[in-house]
Amino acid sequence: MDAPSPALGPTTPAVSPPADPPADPGRRRRRARTAAIASAATGLVAGTAALFAGRSGWADGLFIAGIAPVFLLLMIDFVASLRARRFGLDIVAAAAIVSALLVGETLAAAVVALMLAGGQALEAYAEGRAGAAMNALLARVPRTALRYADGRLETVPIDAVRPGDRLLVRQGDVVPADGTVLGPAVLDEAAITGESLPVTRRAGEAVLSGGANVGNAFDLHATRTAADSTFAGIVRLVEEATRAEAPATRLADRFALGFTILTAVLSLAAWWVSGDPVRAVAVLVVATPCPLILAVPVAIVAGLSRAAQRGILVKGGGALEALARVRTLVVDKTGTLTKGAAAVADVRPAPPFAAADLLRLAAALDQASQHAVARALVAAARRDGLDLPPPTDVTETPGEGVEGLVDGRRVRVGGKAYALAGLPPDVAAAARALAPADHLTVAVTVDGAFAGLVLLADVLRPDAADTLARLKALGVARIVLATGDRQAVAAAIAAGLPLDHVAADLDPEAKIALVRAERRNAPVMMVGDGVNDAPALVAADVGVAMGAKGAAASAEAADVVLLADSLGGLVEAVSIARRSRRIALQSVVVGLGLSLAGMVAAAFGLLPPVQGAFLQEAIDVAVILNALRALQGDPLPGGQSRPGA
């Protein structure tokens, strides 16, 4: 329907803005780092000017004054690392500054301080750019909604939206709650699904919160509160991911202790062999601040942001690293490999009925039922363009079937026991024999005679086979189907899929046991969507949930959530994770290689401390720029690439 006119009535005053948020520790830290950079730069410039003026005493004092704030922040970071029981590389930077001051290389110490502060600022900028997608998602959260009340529009807090409310969504607004549209709507759902093109929803279609209205204003019938809506669930997951342990230290700390020992040994050896302490200082200076401190967190956070842009929420750097290492996939069937809803797979009429006639009569009667199977028959008939007359004299036996008149003919539709009751025993037995074990069977009788069977099945997702094949191409060596369905149903679904093993008749405990058994051989990724999958998701190295509607247990338990209801996100998730980790390791290896070369040159007296500091900063800038490549579009198996790549 058309958007209502403003003549409906004035809106209530806008909701008062929320109280000022508490002080942001991150903002205070950024201000402190900005002040440290300013101090180091001012001290370096003023001290250098004093040197040229022949005031060496003044120069040393100015250099030290500029260094002091940087050194203080460095010590704060070092203490924080120790409290977290983490061995960081801050000690190398501190040793470089202190040793340079002790041997009178105050200019070198000032350069190191400025480069260290500048490198940290560059890292913060890179991480901010890399995390922009997650921040943008959080910034989209609507605060108010326009609700109809007594023929007028009122602005209400988002928390006041209740199921049954009728809301107006204006052009440019974010859909505030899950619901159904009451008129045509054009939505940009890229923030929640990664789909780059707008989608059109017709009247009566369900829409998820979080999409942006890029068309005309439309009315929305809310089916959930805003707090229980899909977008609110996604926001909670994003906030959980941003609160997760910072990924900066996980990969870097594996090298930190060894690199620190190597630096100490090389610097002391240079001093002992040459007898010149300045060489030791030069070695320490070249080792500071080191690509390990800067490049790894940038690459990992860039990967997290890239994944978020594609509708894949990865809960922290640890999950991204684990995702990059998976070699085995355990995948649930219902709602994961399949669509999770019954659909008509085949119509088997008995003479003299034709398939279209059988489906038309059964679906026409099922219009009177709200059962999921009935809705599947009606949907199939309408998809085939069949005319469905309204049924009369309808009687429904809950859970068994429906009986009534369609075009004057008595039709009975339901389970075999219900629909075939009253038929001659030989006819009923022959009808039962036609029903395959791997399908849900609906029997139909017309005027007391057997008319045929309608077979329903949980339909395989159209991209399932292609997705599994592409995962194999990415290096996932083993794929296991885990399902609670019967073996016959599982085998029918598995036919033609690149699976290495099919495990059927599994309860939640058996799924956990299967995941643990597979973990003994290789890192495991478990993919599921139901509440019963949550324990297995936790047991795997990486748990992946399909969709994030509301506060689903599987989404809360998972390490990775595919916001779009599509298996294709699995390929993107693994591809992005492996590319990000590869870039991080590449930055570490290249950066450390260049640093070690510079340290050796400094040990032989070929690189004085000041030049060494500038060389290290050039290395840092290079590895950070390389790490930011993780933000770019990543090629996918088969030569494909995603939009924006």
Side-chain angles (χ1 to χ4, degrees):
M1 60 180 294
D2 295 332
S5 165
L8 283 172
T11 63
T12 59
V15 177
S16 300
D20 292 336
D24 179 8
R27 180 177 298 178
R28 290 199 302 266
R29 190 172 185 79
R30 288 190 294 272
R31 288 175 178 172
R33 292 200 183 282
T34 301
I37 294 174
S39 172
T42 302
L44 182 60
V45 171
T48 303
L51 277 180
F52 279 108
R55 301 293 184 91
S56 58
W58 278 91
D60 289 342
L62 290 169
F63 287 145
I64 293 172
I67 292 169
V70 179
F71 189 78
L72 177 62
L73 288 178
L74 188 62
M75 288 296 95
I76 292 173
D77 288 342
F78 179 61
V79 171
S81 297
L82 292 181
R83 287 180 175 175
R85 297 181 179 180
R86 232 180 351 248
F87 185 86
L89 288 161
D90 302 322
I91 188 64
V92 177
I97 293 175
V98 171
S99 61
L101 292 175
L102 290 176
V103 299
E105 290 282 349
T106 52
L107 175 57
V111 172
V112 169
L114 179 59
M115 296 305 153
L116 178 62
Q120 290 174 334
L122 183 58
E123 176 195 9
Y125 165 76
E127 286 193 356
R129 180 185 165 192
M134 286 191 176
N135 293 333
L137 192 63
L138 293 175
R140 289 170 56 89
V141 178
R143 305 298 179 193
T144 61
L146 281 173
R147 182 174 65 186
Y148 290 94
D150 300 325
R152 303 171 64 186
L153 280 170
E154 60 178 5
T155 302
V156 297
I158 194 69
D159 292 340
V161 174
R162 294 290 178 266
D165 285 350
R166 182 172 174 177
L167 309 175
L168 172 66
V169 183
R170 298 166 299 186
Q171 187 177 52
D173 285 353
V174 173
V175 178
D178 295 351
T180 55
V181 294
L182 303 179
V186 182
L187 300 174
D188 177 2
E189 297 181 343
I192 52 176
T193 67
E195 173 57 54
S196 58
L197 299 176
V199 295
T200 301
R201 304 295 184 192
R202 295 186 297 272
E205 284 194 62
V207 297
L208 302 179
S209 55
N213 180 16
V214 294
N216 294 327
F218 65 89
D219 285 353
L220 176 77
H221 177 80
T223 55
R224 285 185 176 183
T225 65
D228 292 331
S229 67
T230 298
F231 192 57
I234 292 172
V235 168
R236 284 193 292 273
L237 295 172
V238 171
E239 289 174 339
E240 178 183 339
T242 56
R243 288 195 302 267
E245 178 183 356
T249 61
R250 296 183 58 89
L251 192 61
D253 284 354
R254 298 171 195 167
F255 301 91
L257 182 58
F259 183 79
T260 301
I261 293 173
L262 177 62
T263 300
V265 169
L266 190 57
S267 62
L268 291 174
W271 185 2
W272 181 68
V273 171
S274 68
D276 183 3
V278 175
R279 292 195 183 185
V281 172
V283 171
L284 291 172
V285 165
V286 175
T288 306
C290 175
L292 283 172
I293 301 177
L294 304 176
V296 174
V298 172
I300 297 298
V301 173
L304 296 176
S305 183
R306 175 64 182 166
Q309 292 172 356
R310 303 304 309 148
I312 304 159
L313 179 58
V314 183
K315 299 180 183 178
L320 191 76
E321 288 184 50
L323 185 61
R325 297 194 302 270
V326 295
R327 291 294 179 270
T328 298
L329 167 65
V330 177
V331 59
D332 177 52
K333 182 187 77 70
T334 305
T336 305
L337 276 184
T338 65
K339 292 184 177 180
V344 174
D346 193 15
V347 179
R348 298 182 178 180
F353 293 94
D357 293 333
L358 177 65
L359 180 59
R360 173 179 172 275
L361 290 170
L365 178 60
D366 270 342
Q367 292 178 105
S369 174
Q370 289 297 317
H371 195 278
V373 171
R375 291 199 298 269
L377 265 65
V378 173
R382 287 176 174 165
R383 185 179 61 246
D384 292 347
L386 301 178
D387 178 44
L388 302 182
T392 58
D393 192 24
V394 176
T395 302
E396 181 170 8
T397 303
E400 295 188 22
V402 186
E403 183 176 351
L405 294 176
V406 177
D407 287 341
R409 309 186 72 177
R410 182 151 295 277
V411 180
R412 182 178 257 210
V413 180
K416 294 187 292 291
Y418 172 83
L420 302 179
L423 294 181
D426 57 332
V427 175
R432 290 189 182 93
L434 295 175
D438 57 348
H439 284 71
L440 174 64
T441 303
V442 174
V444 183
T445 63
V446 177
D447 295 330
F450 176 61
L453 303 176
V454 179
L455 306 182
L456 294 95
D458 190 2
V459 181
L460 191 69
R461 290 179 184 270
D463 60 344
D466 179 60
T467 295
L468 298 184
R470 290 161 68 192
L471 286 171
K472 287 271 191 179
L474 275 174
V476 178
R478 179 173 169 81
I479 301 179
V480 177
L481 173 62
T483 177
D485 282 339
R486 302 184 308 276
Q487 183 65 44
V489 176
I493 286 293
L497 295 178
L499 298 171
D500 298 287
H501 179 61
V502 176
D505 296 307
L506 300 180
D507 57 20
E509 289 76 15
K511 283 188 180 181
I512 295 174
L514 173 66
V515 169
R516 288 174 176 168
E518 294 292 340
R519 284 188 69 189
R520 288 195 285 268
N521 301 315
V524 172
M525 171 172 63
M526 168 70 191
V527 185
D529 79 318
V531 172
N532 62 329
D533 295 322
L537 296 179
V538 174
D541 294 281
V542 181
V544 181
M546 295 286 294
K549 294 183 179 180
S554 58
E556 298 290 342
D559 303 296
V560 179
V561 180
L562 305 182
L563 302 182
D565 188 27
S566 169
L567 264 182
L570 272 180
V571 178
E572 288 190 275
V574 174
S575 178
I576 290 171
R578 293 194 173 174
R579 186 169 189 266
S580 300
R581 189 171 188 271
R582 184 171 64 249
I583 288 174
L585 288 172
Q586 180 186 85
S587 297
V588 167
V589 171
V590 173
L592 284 184
L594 293 174
S595 294
L596 287 172
M599 290 162 63
V600 171
F604 282 97
L606 303 176
L607 196 63
V610 174
Q611 287 89 330
F614 283 109
L615 172 64
Q616 183 58 64
E617 181 62 14
I619 294 172
D620 294 336
V621 171
V623 297
I624 287 176
L625 292 177
N626 180 67
L628 280 173
R629 290 193 302 115
L631 274 176
Q632 300 170 359
D634 46 301
L636 298 175
Q640 300 177 357
S641 61
R642 286 292 173 185

